[in-house]
Amino acid sequence: VLPFPSQVVYNRVGKCGSRTVVLLLRILSEKHRFNLVTSDIHNKTRLTKNEQMELIKNISTAEQPYLFTRHVHFLNFSRFGGDQPVYINIIRDPVNRFLSNYFFRRFGDWRGEQNHMIRTPSMRQEERYLDINVCILENYPECSNPRLFYIIPYFCGQHPRCREPGEWALERAKLNVNENFLLVGILEELEDVLLLLERFLPHYFKDVLSIYKNP
């Protein structure tokens, strides 16, 4: 047993700065020699029981120390006989997150000029260039249901009720945060979050703040 948490899971919430954190982790994994386990699956956050078992098995057998990252709702390792890892995550102001997602769906990101065409190939030009104020004020479906509840299942878990907005899902999410998450940061305070990660998990995040500030 290593003298620090050797199993860390970052079940990253979309549009909450996770791309930046993963870029930092790639640098840090080479610098500190830990196993960064990433996933190419970005759009499957809810898993069947068999998919949960298979993913947990694959994660648990990875070379330690490891840090696993994927867009996936909370997984209960102990339910399937595995060792429960340390969880970390970052969330952000829900309105800012909605804004970020609105423009990301239309214009993608720095990974390629045509990235948005791959994500939303059927989007018409007038829809792609729709002013967000018009979208909101005229109650377009995309803007009248901005999926603000979307964050809670990342902490509530894979139970079907976690996707039903309500007290049960919220309370279960809070319980999981208290019992399983070392840190849930806020993107608007990212430098403080990185500083805390450096203090709590130095084997993974030592020097992260200086790397983040370096052009």
Side-chain angles (χ1 to χ4, degrees):
V1 178
L2 297 171
F4 55 85
S6 59
Q7 299 164 282
V8 178
V9 171
Y10 171 33
N11 64 321
R12 50 197 176 116
V13 180
K15 315 319 302 166
C16 290
S18 63
R19 186 77 54 77
T20 298
V21 177
V22 169
L23 285 171
L24 289 168
L25 284 169
R26 287 189 181 135
I27 298 170
L28 292 164
S29 66
E30 293 184 10
K31 182 179 175 68
H32 300 317
R33 300 187 180 280
F34 64 84
N35 182 18
L36 178 62
V37 184
T38 60
S39 174
D40 294 327
I41 302 171
H42 302 296
N43 298 318
K44 190 172 178 59
T45 55
R46 300 174 298 218
L47 309 178
T48 65
K49 183 178 179 181
N50 286 337
E51 287 171 337
Q52 291 178 59
M53 292 173 64
E54 185 67 22
L55 181 57
I56 287 172
K57 178 183 176 183
N58 290 339
I59 297 171
S60 299
T61 55
E63 181 184 350
Q64 298 183 23
Y66 70 72
L67 191 151
F68 173 77
T69 178
R70 171 178 164 177
H71 293 300
V72 65
H73 296 164
F74 175 80
L75 292 163
N76 190 338
F77 282 60
S78 58
R79 180 188 173 203
F80 299 102
D83 294 329
Q84 191 71 0
V86 167
Y87 271 84
I88 58 173
N89 217 321
I90 297 174
I91 58 177
R92 77 188 293 185
D93 178 273
V95 175
N96 288 336
R97 186 168 177 274
F98 168 64
L99 290 169
S100 175
N101 190 59
Y102 184 87
F103 292 109
F104 178 71
R105 288 187 69 245
R106 282 158 172 76
F107 306 111
D109 55 25
W110 53 265
R111 285 184 296 176
E113 289 183 12
Q114 300 304 314
N115 184 247
H116 60 287
M117 298 300 293
I118 297 171
R119 290 183 175 275
T120 52
S122 61
M123 187 177 282
R124 302 186 308 277
Q125 282 295 90
E126 60 268 26
E127 185 183 356
R128 193 175 301 282
Y129 289 94
L130 177 67
D131 186 287
I132 191 170
N133 296 296
V134 173
C135 184
I136 293 168
L137 293 172
E138 296 188 8
N139 285 319
Y140 281 71
E142 179 183 2
C143 295
S144 58
N145 180 26
R147 297 174 68 208
L148 298 184
F149 176 74
Y150 168 73
I151 285 177
I152 289 179
Y154 279 86
F155 304 98
C156 178
Q158 297 288 337
H159 194 286
R161 289 187 69 185
C162 287
R163 298 187 292 277
E164 299 173 8
E167 195 72 19
W168 187 91
L170 176 61
E171 291 304 316
R172 182 165 174 146
K174 287 157 65 176
L175 184 67
N176 279 334
V177 167
N178 284 329
E179 293 185 350
N180 296 292
F181 282 79
L182 178 68
L183 174 77
V184 178
I186 300 171
L187 184 61
E188 288 78 6
E189 301 173 1
L190 182 58
E191 288 195 11
D192 287 341
V193 174
L194 296 177
L195 187 62
L196 285 168
L197 286 169
E198 188 172 347
R199 297 290 187 270
F200 290 155
L201 297 170
H203 186 83
Y204 301 88
F205 288 96
K206 189 174 185 297
D207 301 323
V208 66
L209 199 55
S210 60
I211 292 170
Y212 172 71
K213 290 182 175 182
N214 190 323

